Amino acid sequence: MSARRIGVYICYCGGNISDYVDCEKVRNAIAGEEGVVVAKTTMFACSDASQQEIIEDIQQQKLDGMVVASCSPTLHLFTFRGVANRAGLNPYLYVQVNLREQCSWAHTDVPAQATEKAVHLVRAGIAKARLTESLDKIRIDTVPRALVVGGGIAGLRAALALSDLGISVFVAEKSEKVGGWVAEMGRMYPHERRGSDLIAKLVEEIGARENIKVFTHAELTAKSGSVGDFSVQLSVADQTIPLNVGTIVVTTGFGSYEPAPGEFGYGTEGVLTLPEFKRLLDESKGPLVYRGKPVNSIVYVYCVGSRGSSKKEKPNTYCSRYCCNAAMHASSVAHDLSPSLHQFHLFRDIRTYGKYELLYEEARSKGAVFLKFDEQQPPEVEKVDGHFRVQLKDQLTFGDEIQIESDLVVLVTGMEARADKSLNDVLKLPLGLDNFFKEIHPKLRPVETVIDGVFIAGAAQAPRNSAESVASALAATAKSAALLKKGYVELEPLVAVVDTEACTWCSECVCTCPYAAIEKVTAGSKEVAQINSALCKGCGCCVPACPKGALGVKGYTDRQIRAMIDAMGASHE
Amino acid sequence: MEQGGGTAAQEFRPEILVFSTATISDIGVDLAGSSHLHYPPTAVAIPLPCSSGVRPDWVLYALTHGFDGVFIAADGTDCPFVPDCTDRTAKLVGRTQDLLREHGIPPQRLKMAAICSVCAESFQKHMKYFFEEIKKLGPSTKAG
């Protein structure tokens, strides 16, 4: 029998619930439930007055459990945990029941049945509350240092910003020098400064900072610990360097799509990818010349390797977003070098979003001609007598068959995720379907990953131009600093636990854990599994793997789930 | 009225237990409600952190303790914990259906589908369809 003293509050939500659910009937139905000593209805449980009343009840009635049946926990779970906390009740003794989104609003057509469902839901909440236990957040002191993996423009900018905030930074760059793609670039939009100059300036600034240390030829080879206190290992040339950092910012950038041999003539002299063409432009001082021959006309083919267009086995399905703008800018630069140049842009769709529309306008005003092809009928490229002959059906002129002669063919190739996944083996970051690193939520939790304390920024997360990459790098900097400046982090205690009596260390659970949080320890005379609660995210993936039923997640224990099933199901038998 | 000519009041209304996930599919279930997309009110959800954490014996327990069908609203590719969440959950469903067969319970009483945080209409459709499917099967066996 439960000796618990639980307070239950059923919220009208100003009619949002009570218009469809008979809240008084629900209260009467559950008032006699085992362990319930307070059962009340309220107009708005979240109002100050109601919160105060709950606090008084907790203190006067010496409640040791609390259920509020109101809206979705996404809205007010933390509100009511706060109420519990202020009343001196451990916040994990609180259970929220969702009577609005999952009851009254979903069943506005059948109020009587909605009321019946509400009774079941509240009973389940009470059943769960009877089995709650006091838990404390896991507190970890943080180390005021950060590691930036990848020394491209995003990584360098993040390092400087972290340094500005008084956080020591290590930058690990895999190649021989920092700067990444931007270091190789010439004129950039919109300021028309050279990419190499921008990087040189950042490198100079970084050199002047005492709290930034840059490692080149460096790779991250091991990571242990958890948010605020990671131990990492860098392999630098032949050395292994151990570091202790509080956060990790991953700015490893992108790879460029390399077309399959023969894809729009790729492999033939004079067929260039976008980065190859940009390099040609950057190296040109006067009128455009390719391999000793003057270039009088260029054909650009858009969306190569993007949006499902590829001869490769697994085509990239996404729009790479930056390539239209980059091609427009390249076209404009090419025109400035050779004003008499004829340029033909063969596109599926154009995505020059925001202010980049001006680039499109500029390319057009400089004489570029745009022709639209259907993805089912891509242009055909062949080389005849040293020139290219490109054929397409132009959608803008209702399918006219058009033939263009050109000296160069530029394949407007997109960005891809880095092919090397070894960093992923170390960091265990989830990838999206596009193979880029995945942030938790683009609006609610951008640049954060499921690994607390590991942030992603720049083109490692999605195709981005340099300005967008820097913006996300600064977002990751702000998140890192917010975490490290506080001096400690608090983690949810709803993690997995092992029943060491039942556990026989069969190790079945180990491989199910995505965070390597399960380790073997000796308990008395036997070996059992142990959860590293700082690493465990409480996903519960390990729970069904245990043949002995020895694993559970706090807040979702076997007893709680069965009690909830009993509370909701029993009445139907 | 498939169920033996009773009155409307006695009509069999399958009780459905939904295992949702606190950060993804439960949000989709919430959205169905916020959008007033009606589905059978005999469907109730227990949110868990991840759908690949559903224990097979919980499903068996539910189907022998008052529920007629169990629906796992999986995270799909949105799962914040494991990228192969769908595969993991699917394997779990296979294992669970074997367990149900062992106990003489039709495996169709367990269904899984990926419900993302904006899959409100999809959830509604699944609930209505599953409700009708379970109705054809009749009530689940009582606790033994």
Side-chain angles (χ1 to χ4, degrees), chain A residues 143-218:
Chain A
V143 178
R145 287 186 290 272
L147 170 69
V148 174
V149 186
I153 191 157
L156 297 179
R157 197 61 196 81
L160 276 173
L162 285 162
S163 156
D164 285 342
L165 294 164
I167 293 164
S168 300
V169 190
F170 302 105
V171 179
E173 166 57 41
K174 192 174 173 181
S175 69
E176 58 185 357
K177 60 179 176 32
V178 294
W181 288 92
V182 175
E184 310 288 318
M185 286 183 189
R187 270 172 62 185
M188 289 175 74
Y189 184 82
H191 43 64
E192 301 299 333
R193 288 169 68 182
R194 296 183 66 81
S196 48
D197 293 344
L198 294 180
I199 294 296
K201 190 167 176 357
L202 289 177
V203 169
E204 188 190 330
E205 260 190 71
I206 284 174
R209 303 287 175 104
E210 282 184 359
N211 61 354
I212 303 181
K213 167 79 184 149
V214 177
F215 298 97
T216 51
H217 292 294

Side-chain angles (χ1 to χ4, degrees), chain A residues 299-351:
Chain A
V299 164
Y300 299 82
V301 182
Y302 280 64
C303 295
V304 176
S306 302
R307 304 173 65 208
S309 145
S310 170
K311 294 207 164 159
K312 294 192 176 175
E313 201 178 316
K314 280 190 179 170
N316 299 322
T317 51
Y318 53 88
C319 163
S320 193
R321 227 168 147 263
Y322 101 106
C323 11
C324 283
N325 301 325
M328 297 292 167
H329 187 248
S331 174
S332 189
V333 172
H335 171 86
D336 294 347
L337 290 167
S338 309
S340 61
L341 193 62
H342 297 286
Q343 304 194 74
F344 302 93
H345 295 250
L346 280 43
F347 67 97
R348 273 170 63 188
D349 295 288
I350 294 286
R351 196 182 200 190

